[in-house]
């Protein structure tokens, strides 16, 4: 990292984050991202939230499902509490500057940096020769998403920390290579009880939209019965819950359920354990199911209502894209000028 470059504190605070419309939203997306986006919006800092459809197609997406998932994600953002008048909501493909800056960053980022990314290793698996070039270059496009708005803060779940760190490296290398202080060194914001919600079937795996097992996740569109059934069947151990967080060490599945409870109820882990310590899972799981239904049902109901008028959703996205471009266009133009493009 170049010591001489500007830090994010020299730039006007601005928040950017995104979610892929690569399937239905999960409780992991809600607690790790959306709930926190809403809290950020309420602080009054300018906030930009994107449906990163260009990222989604780094692995195959059925076109009709992608269209639907993009609209459903927009509905999910709004149903969770994002206000399209206060925050900018749009889909990435409608702001072509993302792909344009992404190309510049493809030329700044190094192959070795990309090869170290754990998401690349996880998603490409053993068959890297058959993975898309887009999947490999994913973090450079993500850097463009963030830096196109000179975003200073990026709320993400734990799994995206490495990509935000790479964004910082790209900004620093660009600034250094061209002798400018143009891009901020953005800060990842990873806070709260649920920055890493785990699979209900395996406490060592992240809860994910693309997990082949539907029982591994709570979908934001699941009804009360499905939520209760999945929590009832969630993997646990035979011990009662401890009274202190120390007692959750080496108990990944138990810790995950307590984390979810804490995040849904805006409590700390210790506050939850003070109430439920000593209880068996047969008693705790129905409490968690009831809480999850109470918190998620209004959101899924509102999502279903919003999805009845997809024209209105498309209008919100179009308006968001126009507002996003007002910020993005001058930053891309200045980037081109710095790099030496004639135009
Ligand atoms: N399980 C999780 N716990 C906490 N945060 C999570 N996020 C995702 N899963 C969890 C956060 O949600 C934001 C958007 O993530 P994404 O959907 O763009 O990409 P992802 O992290 O790859 O999510 P998935 O569900 O695993 O998608 P697929 O299966 O398509 O790859 C990010 O801030 C992420 O941290």
């Amino acid at each position: 990292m170049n010591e001489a470059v500007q830090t994010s504190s020299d730039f006007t605070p601005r928040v950017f984050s995104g979610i892929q419309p690569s399937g239905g939203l999960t409780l992991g997306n809600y607690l790790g991202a959306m709930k926190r986006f809403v809290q950020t919006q309420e602080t009054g800092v300018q906030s930009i939230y994107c449906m990163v459809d260009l990222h989604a197609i780094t692995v195959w997406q059925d076109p009709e499902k992608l269209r639907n998932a993009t609209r459903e994600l927009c509905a999910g953002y709004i149903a969770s509490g994002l206000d399209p008048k206060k925050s900018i909501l749009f889909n990435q493909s409608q702001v072509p500057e993302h792909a344009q800056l992404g190309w510049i960053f493809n030329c700044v980022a190094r192959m070795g940096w990309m090869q170290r990314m754990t998401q690349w290793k996880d998603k490409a698996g053993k068959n890297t020769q058959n993975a898309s070039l887009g999947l490999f270059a994913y973090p450079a496009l993500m850097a463009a998403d963030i830096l196109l708005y000179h975003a200073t803060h990026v709320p993400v779940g734990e799994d995206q920390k490495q990509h935000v760190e790479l964004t910082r490296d790209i900004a620093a290398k660009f600034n250094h290579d061209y002798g400018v202080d143009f891009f901020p060194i953005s800060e990842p914001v990873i806070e709260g009880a649920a920055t890493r919600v785990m699979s209900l079937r395996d406490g060592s795996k992240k809860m994910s939209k693309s997990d082949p097992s539907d029982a591994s996740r709570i979908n934001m569109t699941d009804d009360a019965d499905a939520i209760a059934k999945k929590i009832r069947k969630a993997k646990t151990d035979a011990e009662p819950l401890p009274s202190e967080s120390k007692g959750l060490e080496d108990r990944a599945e138990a810790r995950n359920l307590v984390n979810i409870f804490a995040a849904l109820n805006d409590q700390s882990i210790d506050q939850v354990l003070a109430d439920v310590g000593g209880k068996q899972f047969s008693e705790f799981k129905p409490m968690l199911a009831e809480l999850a239904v109470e918190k998620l049902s209004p959101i899924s109901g509102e999502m279903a209502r919003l999805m009845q008028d997809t024209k209105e959703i498309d209008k919100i996205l179009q308006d968001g894209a126009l507002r996003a471009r007002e910020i993005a266009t001058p930053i891309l133009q200045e980037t081109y000028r710095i790099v030496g493009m004639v135009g």
Side-chain angles (χ1 to χ4, degrees):
M1 180 85 44
N2 179 351
E3 300 290 327
V5 295
Q6 283 178 293
T7 65
S8 61
S9 59
D10 299 316
F11 288 77
T12 308
R14 187 179 282 151
V15 169
F16 177 93
S17 198
I19 298 183
Q20 298 183 76
S22 49
L25 284 164
T26 71
L27 180 68
N29 294 129
Y30 174 65
L31 293 177
M34 298 163 84
K35 188 168 191 272
R36 296 168 53 223
F37 297 172
V38 177
Q39 287 161 349
T40 306
Q41 172 183 265
E42 298 317 319
T43 65
V45 177
Q46 186 176 37
S47 305
I48 305 170
Y49 298 116
C50 190
M51 283 123 264
V52 287
D53 47 9
L54 296 175
H55 281 284
I57 60 162
T58 56
V59 295
W60 164 254
Q61 303 292 333
D62 175 89
E64 213 37 62
K65 287 187 181 156
L66 177 63
R67 249 186 292 280
N68 186 63
T70 304
R71 290 177 175 134
E72 196 173 78
L73 176 51
C74 184
Y77 275 140
I78 297 168
S80 302
L82 287 181
D83 177 345
K85 293 206 167 57
K86 287 190 193 162
S87 299
I88 299 179
L89 306 183
F90 70 103
N91 56 319
Q92 190 186 23
S93 59
Q94 300 312 300
V95 178
E97 287 82 359
H98 285 254
Q100 290 172 289
L101 188 61
W103 178 258
I104 303 276
F105 289 165
N106 281 345
C107 302
V108 173
R110 307 288 94 182
M111 296 283 284
W113 298 0
M114 300 297 187
Q115 270 157 350
R116 281 198 293 277
M117 294 296 109
T118 52
Q119 182 172 294
W120 158 251
K121 290 185 208 164
D122 290 349
K123 287 202 171 173
K126 292 200 175 69
N127 197 3
T128 53
Q129 295 302 305
N130 205 31
S132 74
L133 192 53
L135 188 64
F136 188 66
Y138 183 115
L141 180 59
M142 180 164 158
D145 299 339
I146 295 165
L147 296 173
L148 189 54
Y149 302 95
H150 279 185
T152 52
H153 295 86
V154 188
V156 282
E158 189 67 45
D159 59 312
Q160 291 295 334
K161 183 171 178 223
Q162 197 185 30
H163 286 165
V164 183
E165 282 166 356
L166 191 120
T167 299
R168 294 162 65 90
D169 291 343
I170 289 177
K173 182 163 164 54
F174 182 98
N175 288 343
H176 175 266
D177 288 356
Y178 291 100
V180 292
D181 282 334
F182 185 60
F183 287 116
I185 307 301
S186 317
E187 304 282 344
V189 183
I190 301 169
E191 287 166 354
T195 55
R196 195 163 165 76
V197 178
M198 308 310 282
S199 157
L200 298 179
R201 307 302 305 159
D202 177 352
S204 67
K205 267 172 64 184
K206 187 184 81 149
M207 183 181 285
S208 183
K209 304 182 201 86
S210 55
D211 191 312
S213 161
D214 190 58
S216 71
R217 63 179 161 263
I218 292 175
N219 303 301
M220 292 303 288
T221 48
D222 282 344
D223 62 20
D225 284 349
I227 293 174
K229 190 168 166 207
K230 286 177 181 179
I231 291 177
R232 197 166 58 241
K233 292 199 158 181
K235 189 176 164 201
T236 45
D237 52 45
E239 299 296 311
L241 284 159
S243 302
E244 290 176 3
S245 52
K246 184 157 75 13
L248 291 172
E249 281 166 20
D250 303 322
R251 295 179 67 187
E253 282 85 12
R255 189 174 57 232
N256 187 38
L257 295 188
V258 174
N259 279 349
I260 292 173
F261 192 101
L264 282 171
N265 217 20
D266 295 314
Q267 283 182 300
S268 70
I269 309 289
D270 285 316
Q271 281 169 328
V272 175
L273 291 178
D275 289 340
V276 303
K279 286 194 196 303
Q280 297 290 342
F281 282 102
S282 55
E283 210 179 332
F284 178 63
K285 281 179 169 179
M287 289 171 66
L288 177 58
E290 193 184 329
L291 177 66
V293 170
E294 179 196 317
K295 299 287 178 179
L296 301 183
S297 293
I299 301 174
S300 59
E302 181 61 4
M303 279 173 74
R305 194 190 67 75
L306 291 165
M307 282 299 281
Q308 282 169 5
D309 188 357
T310 53
K311 285 209 174 66
E312 183 56 30
I313 292 182
D314 292 358
K315 250 172 61 192
I316 289 168
L317 291 174
Q318 282 155 14
D319 175 61
L322 286 177
R323 286 160 62 212
R325 289 193 84 179
E326 279 171 21
I327 305 171
T329 305
I331 292 180
L332 181 76
Q333 278 169 358
E334 182 58 11
T335 310
Y336 275 1
R337 194 197 64 72
I338 291 168
V339 170
M341 306 289 180
V342 176

